[in-house]
mmCIF file of all heavy atoms in Angstrom:
data_model
loop_
_atom_site.group_PDB
_atom_site.id
_atom_site.type_symbol
_atom_site.label_atom_id
_atom_site.label_comp_id
_atom_site.label_asym_id
_atom_site.label_seq_id
_atom_site.Cartn_x
_atom_site.Cartn_y
_atom_site.Cartn_z
ATOM 1 N N GLU A 48 -19.027 9.845 -2.081
ATOM 2 C CA GLU A 48 -18.660 10.875 -3.054
ATOM 3 C C GLU A 48 -17.256 10.604 -3.572
ATOM 4 O O GLU A 48 -16.373 10.172 -2.819
ATOM 5 C CB GLU A 48 -18.733 12.270 -2.433
ATOM 6 C CG GLU A 48 -20.146 12.714 -2.094
ATOM 7 C CD GLU A 48 -20.219 14.155 -1.632
ATOM 8 O OE1 GLU A 48 -19.247 14.599 -0.979
ATOM 9 O OE2 GLU A 48 -21.218 14.825 -1.918
ATOM 10 N N LYS A 102 -14.138 12.160 12.346
ATOM 11 C CA LYS A 102 -15.353 12.295 13.160
ATOM 12 C C LYS A 102 -16.622 12.253 12.312
ATOM 13 O O LYS A 102 -17.613 11.655 12.693
ATOM 14 C CB LYS A 102 -15.298 13.594 13.955
ATOM 15 C CG LYS A 102 -14.280 13.570 15.097
ATOM 16 C CD LYS A 102 -14.334 14.855 15.899
ATOM 17 C CE LYS A 102 -13.351 14.810 17.048
ATOM 18 N NZ LYS A 102 -13.374 16.072 17.846
ATOM 19 N N SER A 103 -16.595 12.917 11.166
ATOM 20 C CA SER A 103 -17.813 13.033 10.363
ATOM 21 C C SER A 103 -17.775 12.268 9.051
ATOM 22 O O SER A 103 -18.765 12.223 8.335
ATOM 23 C CB SER A 103 -18.110 14.510 10.065
ATOM 24 O OG SER A 103 -17.033 15.086 9.349
ATOM 25 N N LYS A 138 -15.030 -6.003 -20.114
ATOM 26 C CA LYS A 138 -14.431 -5.561 -18.854
ATOM 27 C C LYS A 138 -15.373 -5.791 -17.671
ATOM 28 O O LYS A 138 -14.929 -6.137 -16.576
ATOM 29 C CB LYS A 138 -14.044 -4.082 -18.941
ATOM 30 C CG LYS A 138 -13.022 -3.761 -20.016
ATOM 31 C CD LYS A 138 -11.747 -4.562 -19.854
ATOM 32 C CE LYS A 138 -10.734 -4.222 -20.918
ATOM 33 N NZ LYS A 138 -9.479 -5.008 -20.785
ATOM 34 N N ASN A 150 -15.900 -16.561 -5.015
ATOM 35 C CA ASN A 150 -17.228 -17.059 -4.612
ATOM 36 C C ASN A 150 -18.181 -15.920 -4.275
ATOM 37 O O ASN A 150 -19.026 -16.027 -3.372
ATOM 38 C CB ASN A 150 -17.121 -18.018 -3.421
ATOM 39 C CG ASN A 150 -16.392 -19.292 -3.782
ATOM 40 O OD1 ASN A 150 -16.649 -19.880 -4.831
ATOM 41 N ND2 ASN A 150 -15.467 -19.715 -2.934
ATOM 42 N N ASN A 184 -24.731 -17.534 -5.444
ATOM 43 C CA ASN A 184 -25.651 -18.656 -5.406
ATOM 44 C C ASN A 184 -26.577 -18.521 -6.608
ATOM 45 O O ASN A 184 -26.460 -17.575 -7.394
ATOM 46 C CB ASN A 184 -26.434 -18.720 -4.086
ATOM 47 C CG ASN A 184 -27.196 -17.435 -3.787
ATOM 48 O OD1 ASN A 184 -27.751 -16.809 -4.688
ATOM 49 N ND2 ASN A 184 -27.231 -17.037 -2.518
ATOM 50 N N LEU A 188 -26.762 -15.077 -8.734
ATOM 51 C CA LEU A 188 -26.180 -15.179 -10.068
ATOM 52 C C LEU A 188 -27.193 -14.745 -11.130
ATOM 53 O O LEU A 188 -26.851 -14.030 -12.074
ATOM 54 C CB LEU A 188 -25.707 -16.605 -10.342
ATOM 55 C CG LEU A 188 -25.102 -16.865 -11.735
ATOM 56 C CD1 LEU A 188 -23.901 -15.951 -11.975
ATOM 57 C CD2 LEU A 188 -24.705 -18.325 -11.879
ATOM 58 N N ILE A 219 -31.241 -17.688 -19.039
ATOM 59 C CA ILE A 219 -31.107 -17.418 -17.600
ATOM 60 C C ILE A 219 -32.296 -17.998 -16.845
ATOM 61 O O ILE A 219 -32.142 -18.615 -15.787
ATOM 62 C CB ILE A 219 -30.996 -15.898 -17.339
ATOM 63 C CG1 ILE A 219 -29.703 -15.353 -17.927
ATOM 64 C CG2 ILE A 219 -31.046 -15.607 -15.831
ATOM 65 C CD1 ILE A 219 -29.608 -13.832 -17.889
ATOM 66 N N LEU A 235 -16.968 -12.331 -27.724
ATOM 67 C CA LEU A 235 -16.038 -11.409 -27.069
ATOM 68 C C LEU A 235 -14.673 -12.028 -26.820
ATOM 69 O O LEU A 235 -13.796 -11.361 -26.293
ATOM 70 C CB LEU A 235 -16.654 -10.958 -25.727
ATOM 71 C CG LEU A 235 -17.984 -10.206 -25.839
ATOM 72 C CD1 LEU A 235 -18.532 -9.880 -24.467
ATOM 73 C CD2 LEU A 235 -17.833 -8.948 -26.653
#
Side-chain angles (χ1 to χ4, degrees):
E48 292 187 326
K102 288 183 179 179
S103 60
K138 299 303 181 181
N150 294 315
N184 56 39
L188 178 58
I219 294 172
L235 299 177

